[in-house]
Amino acid sequence: MDTDLHELLRGLRVWEPGVTELPPFDPGAAPGEPLALFTRWFADAVAAGEREPHTMSLATCDEEGRPDVRIVILHGADADGWAFATHAHSRKGRHLAARPEAALAFYWPLQGRQVRVRGPVAVAPPEQAQADLHVRSTGALAAALTGRQSEVLGSLEELARASESAWERARSAPDTEAPSWTLYRLRPTEVEFFQGEPHRRHVRLRYRHTSTAWTRELLWP
């Protein structure tokens, strides 16, 4: 029997009672800049048992302005921006070379929270990219050494051979560099915090960066 997608969708519920806890959010008590609030919400997501809270959607555009999105890992967030990494020759790397702006989105369903970040993207110095890679897992290094990200793959057997060789190098020489591995930093011009509310009176607080400081404003849900 074929699966009825629409029937499945009609049976799903958002923020199921007993699973999701929608905490109150007082935007008037929010800090003056978004990084402090993001750090607090991220810690809350970890404490709530959110699975992989450091995963985020990364949206970019190609040279013709066509959007694309994928899931990546947050490598850090500080005064220099929200950091992520990939190969420079990957699709997202090529997009960012042509149009160095992007948007990020975090979703933590156990608490009905979203965080959206957008702004220009800069490339970190190569030594920082390699240092970032080498503090990660052996598997992360092996994946980086496998290379050829986003290129057409002839077969799964070809991938297996390349991966096995990369794993051997990662285990035997953990300081091996992956020259195309690139660390990017998105310096936000806007950061929005969304807190779900049981009566659908969701709270949306947007930070916008001016030439001198951050401003805050509420948005209709």
Side-chain angles (χ1 to χ4, degrees), residues 67-216:
D68 206 347
V69 67
R70 74 288 287 165
I71 305 298
V72 298
I73 298 293
L74 176 69
H75 287 218
D78 54 28
D80 292 325
W82 271 250
F84 58 93
T86 188
H87 289 284
H89 59 258
S90 68
R91 176 181 288 187
K92 50 188 173 294
R94 296 195 305 269
H95 286 185
L96 291 169
R99 291 172 174 258
E101 294 201 18
L104 309 173
F106 297 84
Y107 179 44
W108 299 315
L110 292 181
Q111 295 181 302
R113 285 177 169 175
Q114 300 179 49
V115 180
R116 301 166 61 199
V117 187
R118 66 189 303 197
V121 177
V123 175
E127 60 272 16
Q128 293 184 16
Q130 297 305 314
D132 173 80
L133 177 59
H134 291 120
V135 298
R136 302 181 70 206
S137 66
T138 301
L141 176 59
L145 293 174
T146 301
R148 302 182 65 180
Q149 187 177 39
S150 299
E151 295 182 16
V152 175
L153 174 66
S155 69
L156 293 180
E157 290 74 19
E158 182 182 1
L159 172 61
R161 289 192 298 269
S163 178
E164 288 173 6
S165 176
W167 271 93
E168 288 182 12
R169 291 179 64 193
R171 291 190 182 104
S172 63
D175 293 330
T176 301
E177 293 191 352
S180 62
W181 189 251
T182 305
L183 183 67
Y184 298 90
R185 291 196 176 93
L186 186 157
R187 187 181 291 273
T189 55
E190 291 186 15
V191 183
E192 181 191 324
F193 294 83
F194 173 103
Q195 174 62 68
E197 199 273 341
H199 297 94
R200 300 302 192 263
R201 294 190 285 268
H202 313 310
V203 181
R204 297 176 61 188
L205 174 65
R206 180 171 65 186
Y207 290 79
R208 289 195 298 166
H209 195 265
T210 67
S211 59
T212 57
W214 287 100
T215 62
R216 295 180 298 174

